[in-house]
Each structure stands twice: as C-alpha cells, then as structure tokens.
Amino acid sequence: MDTPHRSRFHHRACNLCEAICGLVIEMDGDDIVAIRGDEHDPLSRGHICPKAVALQDIWQDPDRLRRPLRRDGDRWDEVTWDEAFDEVAVRLLDIQDRHGRDAVAVYQGNPTVHNSGTMLYAPAFVRELGTRNRFSASSVDQQPHHVAAYFMFGHLLVLPVPDVDRTQHMLIMGANPMASNGSMMTAPGIRQRLRAIQKRDGRVVVVDPRRTETSRIADEHHFIRPGTDVLLLLGLLHTLFAEDLVRPRDLPLIAADVQRIRDVVRPFDPERVAPATGIDAAAIRAMAIDFASAPSAVCYGRIGVSTQAFGSTCQWLINILNTLTGNLDRPGGAMFPTPAIDTVRHIRPGSYGRWASRVRGAPEFAGELPVAVLSEEILTPGEGQIRALVTSAGNPVLSTPDGRTLDRALAGLDFMVSVDIYLNETTRHADLILPPAVGLETDHYDLAFHALAVRNTAKYSPALFPPSPGAMHDWEIFRELQRRLESRRGTRPRGLKARMRRAVARRMTPRRLLDLGLRLGPYGVWRGRFLRPGGLTLATLERNRHGVDLGPLRPSLPGRLYTDDHKIHLAPNLLVEDLGRVTQTFFANRVSPSPTDEEFDLLLVGRRHLRSNNSWMHNAALLVKGNPRCTALLHPGDAQARGLDDGDTVEVRSAVGAVQLPLEVTSDVIAGVVSIPHGWGHGLPGTRLRTANAHPGASINDLTDASRIDPISGNAAFCGVPVCVTACTTPTTTPTTGDRSSHENPGHQ
Ligand SMILES: Nc1nc2c(c(=O)[nH]1)N[C@H]1C(S)=C(S)[C@@H](COP(=O)(O)OP(=O)(O)OC[C@H]3O[C@@H](n4cnc5c(=O)[nH]c(N)nc54)[C@H](O)[C@@H]3O)O[C@H]1N2
Ligand SMILES: Nc1nc2c(c(=O)[nH]1)N[C@H]1C(S)=C(S)[C@@H](COP(=O)(O)OP(=O)(O)OC[C@H]3O[C@@H](n4cnc5c(=O)[nH]c(N)nc54)[C@H](O)[C@@H]3O)O[C@H]1N2
Ligand code: SF4
Ligand SMILES: [Mo]
C-alpha cells in the first residue's frame, strides 16, 4: 500500500520502459543518494540506463501537477478532487445523454501499460463509458503483433518472444534495442545479451534503413528501403521452400497450411523482390539459408516493421518464418513466456470487425479503433460525432499521425478531461486535468512486461515515497470516476450474482488483486484444488526484494493455443488475402508503397535515442542536455544534390505539414531516406514544461499522414511517408512546429 519502505536501500523495478530493470535506490533519510542497477535482479542483472535516474527528476519536477486543475479560458485554477470528479461525471453524462454513448471517446497512452494500478482499474471505467470510440497508443505501435497472434494462436496476448539468451542466430528487423532497450521483448542489458550470442559463435543480423547502434554491434547489417520488409520476408520464405529448408516441428499443429504457404509465397522469388527492397537477391537468399541452417534462430521485428502499411502481414510472415524453420516454441527460437500472473487467462482473446469507425469504416480490433481516425471522428459533423474526450497517460498531439490536425480537433471539443501529470501539448486542451501520483510513489508489479520477458521472473516494487499530500493514484482516480458515473447514471448491477461481484470488486485493492493473480498463476500456491507449498503469493515477492527467478522460457505448445481446434493457424484468410495488396502495390502499378513523386522525393523514418522516452521525459534536464537531438538525418549524396550542409536548418515537408529543424548529414542513412526522432515539438503556447520548452525540437507527427494505415490492424503507417527537404527560407531562432495557439484554428502551412 502506501507504506513506503525507509531502509537505506530500496529495491524496485524501473517502470519507464519495457526493460523493467531492477534498481537499488540508496537513501539517506528522505533523500535519494544514488540510483543504481541491481546486480541481484534475476532479469536485469545490474543493467540500468540514464533514464532511471530521471525517476527522481520526475518525482521532484516543479512542473509536475499535483492537484486537479480546471481551465477557465487561458487560466488554470486548482480545484478539489471532489469538485473535479463531479464535474467530469456531470459533463460526460450530459454529453452522452444528448448525443449518445459514442459521443465520448477515450485515448489511453503508453504509460498505462507501465502501471499495474491503471491496468487493473481503467478497464472498468472504460466499460462504464460504454463507448465504441476507444483508442490507445497500441494503434501507433504494436497492434500488428496482436492481430497476428489473434489470428494465428487464437489470443491477442499469445505473443512469441525471442529467446535471446539461447539463440544462435537473431535476425532483427526494424528495431534498435540498443537505444530502445527492447520492445515486445523484455531483455534488459541487450548489449551483453547480443554479445553473448556472438561469443557462442552465433550471429546477429540487422535490417534497417539506418546504420543503428544495434547494427554497429551486429555481424551483418542490410540497408532496406522503408516499407518493403513484407517483400523481404516473402523472399526469405520463398527461398526456404525453393532450397528445401522447410523443417517445421510440431507438424500436426500446422500440417494443413504448409502447402498453402508454399503456394502463396511462390511468386516472390528473391530476384523479383530485390529491386524494391534495395537488398540484392543473392543477399536475400544467403540470409534465408543462414537463418534456416543455424542450430537455432529467431526473427524479431518491431516498430520499423509494425508501423507500416503491411504491418500485420509482416508480423504474420515473421511468425511463419520462425515456425517453418522449426524455431517456434523451442529454446533459442521464438517462445511464449510463462508469467507468474498469467494475463492471457484473464483477458478476452480478442475480436475483429465487430464494428467500424463512422467516417472511414476502419474495423474494430479487440474493442478499439485506430487512433489515426480520431481527428476525423471529432471534426466530421453528423450523428455519432465525438464531442468529448478522456485522455489518460497519453500525448496524442505529439504521438499520433497528423498530430497538428488532432491539436486543432481537440480545441473544438465540447469537453475534455486528462488523467496526466503534465500540462503538455495534449492536456492543454483539457477542461480538467487529474494528476496521479508518479513512479516512485506507486506500488508496481509489471503485468505487461513479465509476460514479454526473455526469462520468467517476478518482482514486486513497493512505493518509495508516499504520494504528495492529497494526491491520488491512477487506479483510485479511475475507480472514483467509474463510481460517480455509475451512481449518477443510476445503473445498478442486476441480480444477486452481479451485485456480489460488485461488492467484492469494491473491496479489491491492487495489492489484493495482484496477490490473487499470483496465487492463481502457474507458480501460485493454489494449483487447482491443491495447495502448493512454497508457491508464489505477494508475500513471497515482498520477501524477495531483488525478484524471483522462475527459470528460462519453456516450450508451451499446444497448451498455449486458444484456437478452436488447438492448432496453429498458419494461413488465416485475412492475412493470406493481403498478399494481393502486396502484389498490387509493388508490382501491378510499378509504384513503391510510398509513391515518391517529383515534389516529395524522400521517405521519412523515425528513430529513438537512449535519453528519450516517447514525448514525455524531455522536462528532465539530465535527459535533454547536450547537442540538440531532434535533427533530420540525410545521406551526403541527397544533401549535396539539394545544396544542403551539415548543421543547416532545413524545412521538411510532406503532403500533410512542414517542420523546421537542424540537418545532420551522415552516411548512416540509406540514400533517399530522412530520419527524424518522434516525441519532440514542445514549446506550444499554454504548456507548462519549462525544460522541454527550452529544447522544443519539431514533431515528426506534423508530417505523418493519418490516411496512411495498415488496413488490417489500423496501425499508423509511419514508415516511409513521402517528404521533401529544402533549405529553410524563413529561419527560426528555435526550430518549433510553429505557433499553435490552443484555442484558435492554426490552420495548415
Ligand atoms: N530510449 C527510448 N527507449 C524506448 C522508447 C523511447 O522513446 N526512447 N520508446 C519505447 C516504446 S513505446 C517502444 S514501442 C519501443 C520501440 O522499440 P524499437 O522498435 O526498438 O524502436 P526504435 O528504436 O524506434 O527502432 C525502430 C527502427 O526501425 C527502423 N525503421 C524505420 N522504418 C523502417 C522500415 O521500413 N523497415 C525496417 N526494417 N526498419 C525501419 C528505424 O530506422 C529504427 O532504427 O521503444 C521503447 N523504448
Ligand atoms: N512518428 C512516430 N510516432 C510515434 C512512434 C514512432 O516510432 N514514430 N512511436 C509510437 C509509440 S511506440 C508509442 S507507444 C506512442 C506513445 O504515445 P503516447 O502514449 O500518446 O505518448 P507518450 O509520449 O508516451 O505520453 C505519455 C503521457 O503520459 C503522461 N504520464 C507519464 N506518466 C504517467 C503516469 O504515471 N500516469 C498518467 N496518468 N500519466 C502519465 C505524460 O505526461 C504524457 O502526457 O507514440 C507513438 N508515436
Ligand atoms: S532501460 Fe528502461 S527500465 Fe531500464 S533503467 Fe532504462 S528506462 Fe528504466
Ligand atoms: Mo510504444
């Protein structure tokens, strides 16, 4: 609970990114003396990055909100929690009464999955809202992984993770774990883990349009044209069949589909796919042969292949590559973790296309619509138009495609409330901001990332500090919002069972829920009807401050499958049919997926830096000091052709918008590509972020295009947006996205 431990050394897991590193925080009374990596953490073994130290900066940040704020024009006033909750309930219900349930939308951002309290309590609030307009950062991120898992394994959370610690060959596509510390693969200390592959005579191969920090330590790097990974994967699969390298294990689980895959990949021989990808046919063939002949191998694709027009198809083909080479569910391949709280068992398997977005008709997935449609749903008049928005732990103005239009859309809402710790680019549009307690003030058990980890471990992190006076936790905020909506709406659960369920739910704290989850889990004290001595409970984790080691990943098929027939669906129709679109896109019209034309003759890609965390940690001085990091990377040939020099301020323009930022000329990017990091674009009027606003950068999402999505998952297709780069004719003192005054229509450039 909120009884902070005050021993000299406090142990917890860092909840900032997916690596969940174990920390030792040395205290002198109430002061933090040092934050170090915990060498005894069974997963992270001492690894830490500079962001962990910023946990203290966030906690102490004078700009961080500590009391609910209510906007009155351009002024913000502190209000009591009670007033704030009441106003939110009244306004949301009023809008739903007048315009229907769907008139209120909700967007949940990335820190949601890094906070067990939010994960446990926000769902009931969202259900209470009863809207179909549910959005989250998943649709600018990993939705294709879930879609592939849902259709192939029957559950959106049955996600294969690379068994990095035992593999002999790792093919990394569109990921830069050396900067990101890994994603959909919790593997803290990835440098040592990749080095260890090499030390045991294995290979690390990277496919990326940029020479990244990861590719620098790899054995092989292939530059690829953005957005063409689907062709590369098809070329690899074609080669497996052509060279007779298909060796699936668990044949009974997939037998019927192998022939179908052979047929559908047949047209994609390396010679045919090579020109579009920029990787030559011989290299593609060698890549496939090396992969298939390694004693064990795993292909891992992340943001760079998920945020593409063929994101779902890419993730499906990656799963096929792992399966057909016998690497699914076996040590050194792609394996399914067995987490101590098995979220798979507590969450519905998923759903597809039960409804569609109003304007564009984008299909629902797992109860969500793609956030790329959010602005049009707010801006397009008519029945079902979104008139109010709840955001929680999200900054979609900077993180979603065409954030500039969303910025304008938010300014026109009837009502907006944000559960957030900052008055930032998104929350400046809110009528009320409800700020929760932060990392060091919260108890945490990582529900999401133990379930994606390369080793089975479990760790509980008690709060270090009590919340600031009068502060509430995210979970308490959601619980209260849900209660107020429910009581004002007058909805009462019907029937004894429902009432009992509610009575029990009301007594449940996150601690109790976590304890229950552990007890019922695969290592828990309760196994079926028996008690297992020594089984896990929350108390066990509290005694083991470094965390509990539950061993390496272990084979878990067919038990882990949720399909009706308990088989792997290697060839789901929806994905197989998408290959028609591949042919159409790349071969029928002879255009690339991102048709470059004379005006927009370059393709845009993103990147991450170790000292960033999406959009929200730039207010920590420690993380923004030094040379500006929000720069456009361009190949020397491309710079020369445009008469541009290193250090120039340039304008990057797309069909959607324009930004100005410094140019870095480097042969680290493939010719024809511009690389810009996301999460920048601070300095907007009305925000309260002194440090970030002094280092504003420019927002890549002022350039990305909300109409470019993977039509299957709805995921934003950030990779390969056509842009042009020119010398900046109207130099600005600081490269900002321009004046976007919060309550007037700034229009487009
Ligand atoms: N330091 C830091 N760590 C983070 C974050 C952060 O912002 N900062 N964010 C966290 C989050 S939310 C996530 S989801 C993860 C993401 O983790 P990663 O997936 O590792 O993300 P990136 O580091 O952006 O790496 C993506 C790579 O894809 C490449 N790429 C771009 N387009 C293409 C393409 O078309 N094909 C191929 N093959 N590659 C392409 C880019 O050049 C880049 O090197 O990182 C997490 N960790
Ligand atoms: N072009 C491009 N765009 C991208 C990406 C890309 O690679 N390229 N990456 C995408 C990815 S992978 C992701 S995950 C998204 C992220 O998209 P978002 O989740 O929308 O953005 P974040 O920057 O993570 O914003 C987090 C918000 O949560 C708040 N916050 C921090 N901690 C807490 C907390 O404990 N409680 C609450 N209630 N609020 C908190 C912060 O103040 C901030 O407002 O961005 C995506 N956008
Ligand atoms: S790698 Fe991620 S989890 Fe580890 S210390 Fe850095 S931010 Fe925290
Ligand atoms: Mo993400």
Side-chain angles (χ1 to χ4, degrees):
M1 287 245 267
D2 299 332
T3 348
H5 292 218
R6 271 302 162 42
S7 49
R8 169 120 185 260
F9 296 100
H10 175 83
H11 296 81
R12 65 184 291 115
C14 176
N15 68 332
L16 291 171
C17 89
E18 300 182 32
I20 56 174
C21 298
L23 307 177
V24 186
I25 306 183
E26 189 180 345
M27 302 295 294
D28 179 7
D30 282 350
D31 299 324
I32 294 177
V33 179
I35 299 183
R36 299 192 194 91
D38 181 355
E39 281 169 25
H40 302 292
D41 182 291
L43 184 63
S44 65
R45 303 168 194 157
H47 181 261
I48 185 173
C49 90
K51 288 188 294 300
V53 179
L55 281 169
Q56 179 179 3
D57 301 56
I58 297 163
W59 173 62
Q60 291 174 328
D61 189 344
D63 289 339
R64 178 165 67 81
L65 307 179
R66 288 164 173 84
R67 293 290 171 86
L69 291 184
R70 183 177 190 281
R71 186 159 53 77
D72 180 2
D74 286 337
R75 214 184 65 220
W76 289 91
D77 302 314
E78 277 191 12
V79 290
T80 65
W81 282 102
D82 193 50
E83 287 170 292
F85 285 131
D86 258 345
E87 179 160 344
V88 174
V90 169
R91 298 289 302 273
L92 292 179
L93 289 176
D94 173 58
I95 289 168
Q96 289 195 320
D97 283 346
R98 285 187 293 130
H99 303 288
R101 290 254 177 149
D102 299 339
V104 174
V106 52
Y107 173 82
Q108 293 181 275
N110 171 272
T112 305
V113 290
H114 296 277
N115 182 323
S116 42
T118 315
M119 283 186 75
L120 291 169
Y121 285 78
F125 163 71
V126 174
R127 265 198 308 278
E128 183 68 45
L129 280 178
T131 173
R132 289 180 165 186
N133 282 313
R134 297 203 282 267
F135 305 90
S136 82
S138 294
S139 55
V140 282
D141 187 347
Q142 83 287 4
Q143 210 67 300
H145 295 251
H146 296 307
V147 166
Y150 173 65
F151 284 110
M152 297 180 77
F153 310 126
H155 195 300
L156 82 166
L157 289 182
V158 176
L159 296 160
V161 169
D163 186 14
V164 183
D165 293 345
R166 285 179 292 186
T167 195
Q168 285 300 107
H169 188 103
M170 186 161 176
L171 172 57
I172 302 176
M173 300 175 63
N176 184 16
M178 285 291 290
S180 68
N181 282 301
S183 180
M184 307 298 275
M185 168 183 78
T186 290
I190 192 71
R191 178 196 290 273
Q192 283 76 16
R193 292 186 138 103
L194 294 179
R195 287 267 191 240
I197 299 177
Q198 295 166 324
K199 279 193 195 133
R200 52 181 186 262
D201 293 327
R203 280 181 88 68
V204 178
V205 180
V206 172
V207 176
D208 200 297
R210 183 168 72 91
R211 187 178 293 119
T212 60
E213 293 82 347
T214 307
S215 73
R216 282 182 199 284
I217 65 161
D219 300 279
E220 217 176 290
H221 171 220
H222 300 272
F223 283 107
I224 188 167
R225 294 267 299 158
T228 64
D229 299 77
V230 67
L231 291 178
L232 171 61
L233 286 161
L234 287 164
L236 294 175
L237 288 170
H238 174 101
T239 308
L240 292 187
F241 285 103
E243 305 281 332
D244 196 18
L245 292 167
V246 173
R247 302 268 183 283
R249 294 161 355 111
D250 296 322
L251 206 53
L253 291 179
I254 55 168
D257 287 337
V258 176
Q259 188 57 39
R260 184 136 188 242
I261 300 297
R262 172 196 295 270
D263 293 343
V264 298
V265 304
R266 186 169 289 140
F268 300 96
D269 54 276
E271 276 70 19
R272 186 158 181 240
V273 300
T277 62
I279 303 175
D280 64 54
I284 295 174
R285 207 163 267 125
M287 224 188 274
I289 294 170
D290 289 351
F291 189 92
S293 42
S296 63
V298 63
C299 178
Y300 162 71
R302 203 48 277 274
I303 277 290
V305 291
S306 295
T307 54
Q308 290 195 6
F310 293 100
S312 300
T313 298
C314 281
Q315 293 302 341
W316 166 59
L317 294 173
I318 286 172
N319 287 343
I320 295 182
L321 182 60
N322 289 329
T323 308
L324 291 187
T325 51
N327 285 298
L328 185 74
D329 195 41
R330 80 142 175 204
M335 300 192 76
F336 302 99
T338 317
I341 297 184
D342 195 2
T343 37
V344 173
R345 291 201 290 164
H346 304 291
I347 286 179
R348 288 203 202 110
S351 57
Y352 188 79
R354 286 177 302 164
W355 61 84
S357 71
R358 177 180 63 110
V359 178
R360 199 188 300 192
E364 156 273 351
F365 176 69
E368 271 190 35
L369 291 170
V371 70
V373 312
L374 178 56
S375 322
E376 71 201 25
E377 293 295 330
I378 298 173
L379 292 170
T380 313
E383 211 180 307
Q385 182 182 5
I386 294 173
R387 292 161 192 272
L389 176 67
V390 182
T391 71
S392 164
N395 192 4
V397 166
L398 296 190
S399 60
T400 66
D402 192 6
R404 184 171 280 248
T405 297
L406 183 63
D407 186 52
R408 180 164 62 92
L410 298 185
L413 285 169
D414 291 352
F415 181 69
M416 175 168 158
V417 55
S418 295
V419 182
D420 206 289
I421 56 175
Y422 286 115
L423 176 38
N424 66 15
E425 299 76 14
T426 295
T427 62
R428 69 187 179 131
H429 294 295
D431 295 281
L432 284 138
I433 305 178
L434 312 178
V438 283
L440 295 179
E441 303 167 337
T442 56
D443 299 339
H444 182 61
Y445 172 87
D446 222 300
L447 287 167
F449 299 108
H450 283 309
L452 291 169
V454 300
R455 189 174 180 89
N456 294 316
T457 66
K459 179 162 181 153
Y460 185 68
S461 303
L464 172 59
F465 297 113
S468 40
M472 293 182 83
H473 291 290
D474 284 87
W475 68 271
E476 293 173 302
I477 296 173
F478 285 113
R479 188 181 59 175
E480 193 54 30
L481 284 173
Q482 189 266 333
R483 285 181 180 177
R484 298 227 180 178
L485 283 182
E486 187 189 78
S487 72
R488 282 195 175 263
R489 224 196 277 278
T491 42
R492 293 269 179 280
R494 282 179 208 196
L496 185 64
K497 220 168 138 191
R499 281 209 298 278
M500 272 174 59
R501 213 182 297 136
R502 185 174 72 156
V504 172
R506 290 209 156 171
R507 295 172 53 101
M508 279 294 177
T509 58
R511 277 178 63 86
R512 285 191 178 169
L513 286 169
L514 293 172
D515 188 41
L516 202 61
L518 289 165
R519 284 169 189 267
L520 291 168
Y523 314 89
V525 274
W526 299 335
R527 288 304 282 166
R529 286 178 293 123
F530 303 102
L531 270 184
R532 184 164 56 184
L536 284 188
T537 64
L538 190 59
T540 329
L541 296 191
E542 285 180 312
R543 278 196 305 275
N544 292 274
R545 295 174 304 163
H546 305 289
V548 174
D549 190 11
L550 302 166
L553 303 183
R554 46 184 206 236
S556 55
L557 292 186
R560 207 60 177 157
L561 295 175
Y562 280 71
T563 45
D564 321 338
D565 54 3
H566 298 285
K567 295 210 157 106
I568 296 170
H569 293 185
L570 211 54
N573 282 333
L574 189 69
L575 293 162
V576 170
E577 280 160 17
D578 200 38
L579 297 181
R581 187 168 62 99
V582 174
T583 306
Q584 190 70 28
T585 305
F586 292 97
F587 303 116
N589 303 329
R590 296 182 189 285
V591 292
S592 80
S594 325
T596 53
D597 57 28
E598 276 170 24
E599 187 180 8
F600 301 118
D601 52 356
L602 296 164
L603 300 178
L604 181 65
V605 299
R607 68 175 191 273
R608 282 171 166 76
H609 189 280
L610 187 61
R611 286 172 186 272
S612 70
N613 195 21
N614 297 328
S615 75
W616 70 273
M617 288 185 67
H618 297 141
N619 214 44
L622 168 79
L623 300 182
V624 285
K625 65 181 186 202
N627 292 334
R629 292 200 312 269
C630 185
T631 59
L633 307 184
L634 194 63
H635 189 271
D638 291 328
Q640 203 181 12
R642 288 162 185 75
L644 300 171
D645 278 323
D646 195 69
D648 286 356
T649 298
V650 292
E651 178 163 282
V652 182
R653 199 150 43 80
S654 72
V656 166
V659 297
Q660 297 173 356
L661 74 175
L663 182 71
E664 253 186 89
V665 177
T666 168
S667 53
D668 283 351
V669 284
I670 183 176
V673 163
V674 187
S675 161
I676 298 180
H678 80 287
W680 298 88
H682 309 295
L684 302 191
T687 56
R688 198 179 290 176
L689 299 163
R690 277 166 289 188
T691 308
N693 288 348
H695 304 264
S699 177
I700 186 176
N701 287 322
D702 284 358
L703 299 170
T704 54
D705 185 340
S707 70
R708 289 171 46 98
I709 57 171
D710 163 23
I712 296 188
S713 64
N715 214 38
F718 290 129
C719 303
V721 174
V723 294
C724 61
V725 179
T726 51
C728 194
T729 44
T730 48
T732 48
T733 42
T734 45
T736 72
T737 47
D739 186 273
R740 290 195 275 175
S741 168
S742 55
H743 298 100
E744 60 192 28
N745 181 346
H748 288 244
Q749 286 190 343

